[in-house]
Amino acid sequence: MTRDAKLRLSGWILTILFLASLPRLLPVTFVLGDYRIDLGLHHATLCALFVIMAMGVNLSIGFAGLLDLGFIAFIAIGSYMMSISLTFRSPVPWWIALVLAILVAGTVRATLGATCLRLRGDYLAIVTLGFGEITRVALKNNLFGLTGGPDGIFLGSASIPDFLDQSRNPVPLYFLSLAFAAGSSFALSRWKRSRAGRAWEAVREDETAAAASGINIFRARLWAYGLGGAFGGLAGGLFAIYNTISHPSDYDFVESVKIVAMVVLGGMGSTGGVIAGSVLFLLLLEIFRGLAEYRMLIFGATLVCLMLFRPQGLAGRRS
Amino acid sequence: MTANPLLEIRNLTRRFGGLEAAADVSFRVETNAIVALIGPNGAGKTTVFNVVTGIYPPSEGDIVFCDSSVAGLRSDDICRLGIARTFQNIRLFAGMTVLENVLVGRHTRTGSTLGDALINSRRHRREEEESRERARHLLRFVGVPGLEDELASNLPYGLQRRLEIARALASEPKLILLDEPAAGLTPTEKSGLRELVLTMKEDGHTILLIEHCMKFVMGLSDHIVVLDHGRKISEGNPAAVRNDPAVIEAYLGVATEQAAS
């Protein structure tokens, strides 16, 4: 084994050990004078969920170059799908509910994509922004009489399978989320170095040249878009269990911006960078919780600096 | 002439509003020939290329490739049928590496799906290995070796032109269209490129190229088609075309038409 491979292997082993021992290490509290920072296992679970969401956005924006400012809509659809399935008169098993969340979110996004993916850049961003808001308002207005209106859908202990119930034991949900986050990251890193991944990048870089190289632009985009939505649905489904509620106010525009920001922070298109970006982002939000709404101000300034000094993100490839 | 030509352009017209960028253009490209499409600026050369490669459909006329019409097909379908091209203002995938650029060219000759990539299936591994090997071979062939992992945008201009040719060749085309491949090259690079085009012919490729520079195409082409103001004004072997008064007039102009180009 080369030295490089050894280093990488030990890196992986350390990461796995660290993630596996997190349930024992957490919660921790840092006290600095009057200021307290509490980090619990649920923060780690939340990190994992954000990694999944960020992968969905990375697939659309980072790989295929399709700017989406309403990604939260697909997370909301996944979340509501999960809650509706679990609270139905004859509830379905949690894993079928999760598959439904993935499929419905992916299908809705592919359908939206089929109508608007011929638009470019800014125009597509406006459509997705509108779709995000429409989805939130529709859910709030008790869409199809299923979404519970402004109260959302509450998932009681009776509806959540015992082993995923955080109030009993937060560890299984943590490991389940972690497994899905790892799986999503794995899928994206595999796809990046594949025929389809290169086709996405080619379409992003130059449509005309991509078409002349034999790539069906529309189909490539539709796949990237639909699959991105499926990741959103997965994250949303798990988020419903995490939150024990699907509530319309959790899915507003700012959340879409946050996820895009994570991807930009980490480096669009870079799987490792996006993971780092989402974890870092979430930790910083938690650490500076005391600053309340000022966090967004600081975060905005940080992003502006990033755009000025390192536009490709922390780990992105320069071009 | 017995065998059908590889490409036949029949009465091709392309209008943009009131402008006829190409008007009633007809010519043939025989298998394993080098055909040059020449003419002054704005003669409609690139328009012909763009119509042949499906960037826009013809207004009138037909394009027959391998005995079937490709007029009005989408770019990616035309590439799949075996026509590859390069662009006048180099269009590489700037944010991708040199090797990846060529690998994109393999798109139509491979078929592994997202699922194949996910489970690293045998098909995916075989295709990746095969494509990488071919891509490396092509990079050596066009003269861009040892720069695989460099970003395409970091290559010097002359090598970018060559890389674009490698990407086009990667799709194993029956016909390759080169849009002003010598534009912006130094005299040394030009003669190198000329060697490359000749080697491509020796390897059995059929080449249709656009060029401004008469000197460059003269010794290179088997057949020359001259366009001016969207119309074909002359056609034939290099010697015949060079002495055609219509061509001389188009290039040098007559006193009253000097402002035209």
Side-chain angles (χ1 to χ4, degrees):
Chain A
M1 219 180 341
T2 63
R3 193 160 166 262
D4 221 34
K6 263 186 201 161
L7 240 117
R8 193 169 305 162
L9 187 67
S10 36
W12 275 110
I13 292 172
L14 279 178
T15 311
I16 290 169
L17 281 179
F18 173 71
L19 291 173
S21 55
L22 264 188
R24 293 191 173 279
L25 298 176
L26 296 174
V28 288
T29 304
F30 302 98
V31 182
L32 200 78
D34 289 345
Y35 198 76
R36 282 172 63 95
I37 302 162
D38 292 296
L39 288 178
L41 189 62
H42 66 282
H43 287 118
T45 310
L46 197 59
C47 274
L49 297 184
F50 269 89
V51 166
I52 302 172
M53 296 174 199
M55 287 303 148
V57 170
N58 189 28
L59 192 57
S60 324
I61 305 185
F63 285 17
L66 304 164
L67 182 53
D68 193 325
L69 293 178
F71 190 74
I72 198 69
F74 307 100
I75 297 164
I77 290 170
S79 166
Y80 272 86
M81 212 43 228
M82 190 78 182
S83 296
I84 290 169
S85 313
L86 288 179
T87 54
F88 215 58
R89 258 178 249 109
S90 47
V92 299
W94 70 272
W95 57 272
I96 293 185
L98 193 59
V99 171
L100 278 175
I102 295 169
L103 287 181
V104 172
T107 312
V108 170
R109 197 159 192 244
T111 312
L112 178 70
T115 63
C116 70
L117 279 182
R118 287 191 172 83
L119 299 174
R120 284 157 200 257
D122 308 350
Y123 301 100
L124 180 65
I126 298 288
V127 171
T128 55
L129 192 151
F131 185 78
E133 279 303 285
I134 290 166
T135 305
R136 185 178 63 83
V137 173
L139 292 172
K140 200 176 175 179
N141 284 293
N142 202 6
L143 185 68
F144 308 130
L146 285 172
T147 61
D151 298 332
I153 304 172
F154 180 68
L155 285 177
S157 282
S159 314
I160 297 175
D162 288 352
F163 86 104
L164 290 178
D165 190 346
Q166 283 196 108
S167 61
R168 292 168 201 258
N169 181 2
V171 178
L173 184 62
Y174 163 70
F175 278 117
L176 185 73
S177 309
L178 187 64
F180 277 117
S184 309
S185 314
F186 175 76
L188 256 74
S189 64
R190 275 275 169 90
W191 287 337
K192 194 174 162 59
R193 285 164 298 153
S194 74
R195 174 177 182 264
R198 286 188 297 265
W200 286 331
E201 278 192 83
V203 171
R204 181 193 70 201
E205 295 284 320
D206 189 326
E207 269 180 51
T208 308
S213 302
I215 295 164
N216 183 332
I217 298 175
F218 185 66
R219 212 165 77 182
R221 283 190 165 158
L222 200 59
W223 271 106
Y225 208 63
L227 278 173
F231 281 111
L234 168 64
L238 294 170
F239 197 61
I241 293 179
Y242 173 89
N243 258 353
T244 68
I245 190 169
S246 293
H247 194 273
S249 68
D250 287 338
Y251 304 105
D252 67 0
F253 174 61
V254 177
E255 299 300 319
S256 292
V257 175
K258 270 190 201 167
I259 305 169
V260 173
M262 286 176 188
V263 174
V264 173
L265 178 73
M268 286 191 275
S270 149
T271 310
V274 169
I275 295 175
S278 1
V279 173
L280 195 66
F281 185 89
L282 223 71
L283 281 180
L284 290 178
L285 277 188
E286 220 37 63
I287 290 169
F288 294 113
R289 184 163 285 282
L291 300 178
E293 293 307 308
Y294 288 109
R295 287 180 297 178
M296 283 298 133
L297 204 64
I298 297 169
F299 185 66
T302 315
L303 272 187
V304 170
C305 292
L306 190 75
M307 286 302 105
L308 284 175
F309 301 112
R310 205 175 160 77
Q312 71 274 35
L314 296 178
R317 204 149 66 162
R318 82 217 126 87
S319 71
Chain B
M1 228 170 277
T2 47
N4 286 339
L6 183 65
L7 175 79
E8 185 175 4
I9 290 172
R10 292 180 187 156
N11 309 100
L12 179 76
T13 298
R14 172 67 209 193
R15 278 184 284 269
F16 294 102
L19 177 78
E20 279 198 329
D24 202 27
V25 174
S26 302
F27 64 91
R28 304 165 140 221
V29 178
E30 305 292 340
T31 304
N32 199 22
I34 298 177
V35 176
L37 197 55
I38 67 169
N41 270 333
K45 309 181 294 286
T46 297
T47 302
V48 171
F49 265 35
N50 287 347
V51 174
V52 171
T53 54
I55 290 180
Y56 26 77
S59 306
E60 276 163 44
D62 201 3
I63 300 153
V64 179
F65 178 67
C66 292
D67 298 319
S68 60
S69 172
V70 297
L73 292 186
R74 269 202 329 260
S75 282
D76 51 300
D77 288 328
I78 289 175
C79 176
R80 191 163 299 120
L81 289 170
I83 303 181
R85 71 170 290 178
T86 67
F87 295 87
Q88 184 177 352
N89 43 348
I90 307 177
R91 302 187 84 131
L92 288 168
F93 307 120
M96 300 171 79
T97 67
V98 167
L99 188 71
E100 283 170 341
N101 266 273
V102 186
L103 288 174
V104 170
R106 296 289 303 155
H107 192 83
T108 55
R109 298 293 166 249
T110 46
S112 62
T113 61
L114 286 164
D116 284 318
L118 193 60
I119 61 166
N120 200 15
S121 72
R122 189 175 300 167
R123 179 194 197 186
H124 173 72
R125 273 175 297 167
R126 178 173 48 77
E127 282 187 357
E128 281 293 303
E129 198 172 315
E130 225 174 71
S131 289
R132 271 160 210 278
E133 198 164 309
R134 264 178 184 279
R136 293 201 179 98
H137 169 78
L138 282 170
L139 285 171
R140 275 194 302 275
F141 176 74
V142 300
V144 192
L147 294 165
E148 282 171 21
D149 297 324
E150 196 60 52
L151 281 184
S153 52
N154 291 347
L155 288 191
Y157 184 82
L159 292 188
Q160 291 196 8
R161 287 242 173 251
R162 285 165 175 264
L163 175 55
E164 225 192 359
I165 295 176
R167 181 180 69 192
L169 287 174
S171 67
E172 298 169 35
K174 295 189 182 92
L175 170 68
I176 178 163
L177 274 54
L178 305 176
D179 194 346
E180 294 206 27
L185 298 187
T186 65
T188 329
E189 287 173 331
K190 266 187 195 173
S191 66
L193 181 77
R194 191 192 169 92
E195 290 307 311
L196 178 63
V197 174
L198 285 171
T199 319
M200 281 161 62
K201 184 187 171 184
E202 274 168 33
D203 284 0
H205 284 289
T206 308
I207 297 139
L208 174 61
L209 64 91
I210 288 179
E211 192 45 66
H212 260 325
C213 169
M214 289 282 251
K215 213 176 109 196
F216 183 79
V217 292
M218 280 308 161
L220 185 67
S221 329
D222 300 299
H223 190 84
I224 294 178
V225 178
V226 191
L227 297 185
D228 188 26
H229 294 110
R231 294 182 181 276
K232 184 173 82 179
I233 56 167
S234 179
E235 177 174 26
N237 63 41
V241 165
R242 185 178 5 217
N243 297 319
D244 188 330
V247 177
I248 294 165
E249 190 188 310
Y251 265 83
L252 301 176
V254 290
T256 50
E257 277 184 26
Q258 248 166 13
S261 68

